[in-house]
Amino acid sequence: MSAVKLHNIVKKFGAFTAVHPMSLDIPERSFVTLLGPSGCGKTTTLRMVAGLLDPTEGDILVAGRQINDVPIHKRNLGIVFQNYALFPHKTVADNVAFGLKHRNIPKEERNRRVAEALELVQLPHLANSYPKQLSGGQQQRIALARAIVIEPDVLLLDEPLSALDANLREDMRVELKRIQEQIGITTIFVTHDQSEALAMSDILVVMSNGRVEQVGAPKEIYSNPTSRFVADFLGTSNILEAEITSEGGQSGLTAAAVGFVPLRDEQMAKLAGRAKAYLVIRAEKIDILPLDAGPDARLSFEGTIEAVDYQGQLVRYFVDVQGMKFQVLNMLSGTTSFEDGDRVSVRFDSQDCVAVGED
Amino acid sequence: MMGWGVIRLWTILVYIFMFLPVAVVVLLSFNANQFGSFPVTGLSFRWFVELAENEAIIRAFKTSLLLGVLTAFISTTLGVLASLALVRYKVPGGNFISTLLIAPILVPEVVLAVALLLFLNFLSVHKSFFMLLMGHVIFTLPFVVLVVQARLIGIRRDVEEAAMSLGATPVQTFFQITLPLLAPAVFAGMLFSFTISFDDITGTLFWKPGGVETVPTQIFAMLRNSISPEINALGSVMIFFTVGVPLLGAAIARRLGNHQGR
Ligand SMILES: Nc1ncnc2c1ncn2[C@@H]1O[C@H](COP(=O)(O)OP(=O)(O)OP(=O)(O)O)[C@@H](O)[C@H]1O
Ligand SMILES: [Mg+2]
């Protein structure tokens, strides 16, 4: 049974529709991420599940029970906010104990569970500190402890890591995932950071303009986007307008600069009934080689490097192939590096290409 | 260099001009001599003793105290409720109501005093202690609303939402989370209302029913007859109250706010 089920929920603010009819099944114990650009309705969706906003239409079910009219304090959900939202006038232990007190848990059990929760987030020594004495990362762990100590049906997190600096954010990401797996709690996580989303989720929900664009495992979505938006939003892609053609019984797409690219049937099937077709090539699936490199099984084109952007061990090339601009991400190898203006060989495998349709 | 010297001197003169009369009053209240004159001929608590034995003054003092405490209590309660409504709930016409609540600060006190008096006349309501109290509430309310609103805006809504998500009802959330976080402002509002009410004279003169005197109106009445050294003593007591109470309050508020980061 699914832990959370959204059935055609809609949220309107006056004449503006922030969330269009949206349905989603969230399986027990899974880590689901709502990912999308700013303003696409992630927070609005999460707040409807939390009970902080009423859906204009549709049903929200938790553990099979319709909870539309259940007020937030009776929903048994754990919420972690972007800015931690710890109670500044209470100690860490009292913060964590707050939900247990409101559940009338006897004192001894309460103390035991608070201690366990602090143990889980690895901060038992801070029990008697006040929130303002803690670092951002510590505050976020306490906020997490406070939310999970009540053993909620679902854990809701709205950009919980975005207030932390980059290094801490990666540590917390690992930490959060560890805790989620350890206690096996169904989790809905909201972020606009795709690396976070790809690294943590069991199920990724990509949203745009109040609509769900694609739902699936992160790997699946990354390697096989079904819409132009998703192809563009996740990672760096080269998206070429294309026509459906076939050569020698093999169907594929034909686009400017690259010509005919044969595609597998399952990719061609995605275009059925769509008005427009695009050929998508991930930037890291393209290789830049010296012009004199020996031929291989891949498609090969001549191009000119227009700009080079070093990013640590990665390097991003901007390459012109017959007037089309390509972005290429390659590992920086010791032997070969290219400069602006170099003539190079641009290669990719047609197997790595994806087709997306648009209406 | 020269310019700064002049400014410094000028500043010192301004301060002397402001505080010298206060210092003189305090000094003279300890003067043993009947006629307040320099040099001070001897120190004594004589005038304070006489003050304590003056029934009219003791009565005025009790009235002022009662009036101040009631004003503080009512203003603060109303002010907190009004601020909550204005900041936390989208009240239709909220901006207008907010301006209306603050307006008594902007209107000259005499105008307000006369207006309220005329209004009461119009309604044929007689002057009474209760009406005096209401008058004080009206012009102390803005101060409470201003400090409480400012603090309330600083209390993040998600802290309250977190409390509710953990099982607290909205009412429990108010008493366990919002009110404690609001405490320094509530306390400051109370002190403001008390001191403003305690040394108000303009409005009080207009609104007080016959026979009721507060400390300021009592001093005013006494001054009309003669300048008695008792008034100096009374002045010292007033200074002690109106300066001491807020200072004490500030200290307590700081302690209250000690553990509360934002
Ligand atoms: N209370 C509200 N009244 C009117 N419009 C709102 C309200 N809350 C949100 N919106 C609008 O709904 C849309 C979705 O907002 P939402 O906060 O869900 O976006 P988001 O995906 O969480 O974005 P972000 O990544 O910036 O947090 C936005 O266009 C926003 O302006
Ligand atoms: Mg958001």
Side-chain angles (χ1 to χ4, degrees), chain A residues 237-248:
Chain A
S237 297
N238 297 287
I239 301 176
L240 312 180
E241 270 184 56
E243 304 252 322
I244 300 174
T245 51
S246 60
E247 266 180 26

Side-chain angles (χ1 to χ4, degrees), chain A residues 3-4 26-32 62 76-80 120 144-157 175-189 200 202:
Chain A
V4 180
I26 296 176
E28 206 96 39
R29 294 172 167 260
S30 59
F31 192 115
V32 174
V62 172
N76 196 36
L77 304 172
I79 308 180
V80 177
L120 191 65
L144 183 62
R146 182 179 68 177
I148 58 185
V149 76
I150 59 172
E151 295 175 357
D153 295 332
V154 186
L155 184 62
L156 307 174
L157 307 107
E175 181 79 359
L176 180 59
K177 187 66 186 164
R178 171 185 73 78
I179 291 169
Q180 189 266 338
E181 279 174 354
Q182 190 172 332
I183 59 177
I185 187 172
T186 311
T187 302
I188 307 180
F189 181 87
M200 298 171 80
D202 300 320

Side-chain angles (χ1 to χ4, degrees), chain A residues 83-295:
Chain A
N83 293 295
Y84 329 128
L86 295 177
F87 308 131
H89 59 303
K90 290 181 183 290
T91 62
V92 163
D94 285 342
N95 263 278
V96 178
F98 189 85
L100 297 175
K101 279 189 189 150
H102 283 277
R103 280 164 177 69
N104 298 319
I105 307 283
K107 189 156 192 228
E108 267 170 37
E109 186 187 342
R110 201 163 72 209
N111 291 342
R112 198 197 72 229
R113 282 168 67 175
V114 168
E116 278 171 10
L118 290 179
E119 203 72 52
L120 191 65
V121 296
Q122 300 176 342
L123 292 175
H125 55 287
L126 293 179
N128 296 314
S129 312
Y130 281 88
K132 74 165 178 191
Q133 299 168 318
L134 311 185
S135 71
Q138 290 170 334
Q139 290 189 47
Q140 196 53 292
R141 282 166 201 238
I142 299 304
L144 183 62
R146 182 179 68 177
I148 58 185
V149 76
I150 59 172
E151 295 175 357
D153 295 332
V154 186
L155 184 62
L156 307 174
L157 307 107
D158 192 354
E159 313 227 9
L161 309 181
S162 63
L164 307 175
D165 63 42
N167 284 332
L168 197 53
R169 190 152 49 204
E170 300 212 344
D171 291 348
M172 269 304 284
R173 182 203 270 178
V174 175
E175 181 79 359
L176 180 59
K177 187 66 186 164
R178 171 185 73 78
I179 291 169
Q180 189 266 338
E181 279 174 354
Q182 190 172 332
I183 59 177
I185 187 172
T186 311
T187 302
I188 307 180
F189 181 87
V190 160
T191 183
H192 59 251
D193 182 318
Q194 47 171 296
S195 57
E196 232 166 75
L198 291 168
M200 298 171 80
S201 328
D202 300 320
I203 299 173
L204 191 56
V205 179
V206 183
M207 295 179 66
S208 134
N209 289 323
R211 292 175 208 277
V212 172
E213 287 279 338
Q214 193 172 353
V215 181
K219 238 185 203 161
E220 155 85 16
I221 294 188
Y222 187 84
S223 59
N224 191 14
T226 54
S227 73
R228 186 183 163 155
F229 173 83
V230 175
D232 203 21
F233 185 71
L234 279 185
T236 309
S237 297
N238 297 287
I239 301 176
L240 312 180
E241 270 184 56
E243 304 252 322
I244 300 174
T245 51
S246 60
E247 266 180 26
Q250 169 72 52
S251 54
L253 288 173
T254 298
V258 296
F260 177 76
V261 176
L263 287 176
R264 283 169 289 156
D265 293 345
E266 96 232 3
Q267 288 300 327
M268 295 312 293
K270 284 158 70 182
L271 300 173
R274 310 303 294 265
K276 278 186 189 165
Y278 293 94
L279 180 69
V280 179
I281 314 157
R282 291 272 178 217
E284 68 276 12
K285 299 288 189 189
I286 304 180
D287 260 347
I288 299 288
L289 296 175
L291 258 193
D292 54 10

Side-chain angles (χ1 to χ4, degrees), chain A residues 56-76:
Chain A
T56 314
E57 283 169 35
D59 292 323
I60 299 171
L61 291 89
V62 172
R65 192 167 67 107
Q66 203 245 33
I67 58 162
N68 285 37
D69 300 321
V70 179
I72 174 170
H73 59 274
K74 293 191 182 144
R75 283 195 183 187
N76 196 36

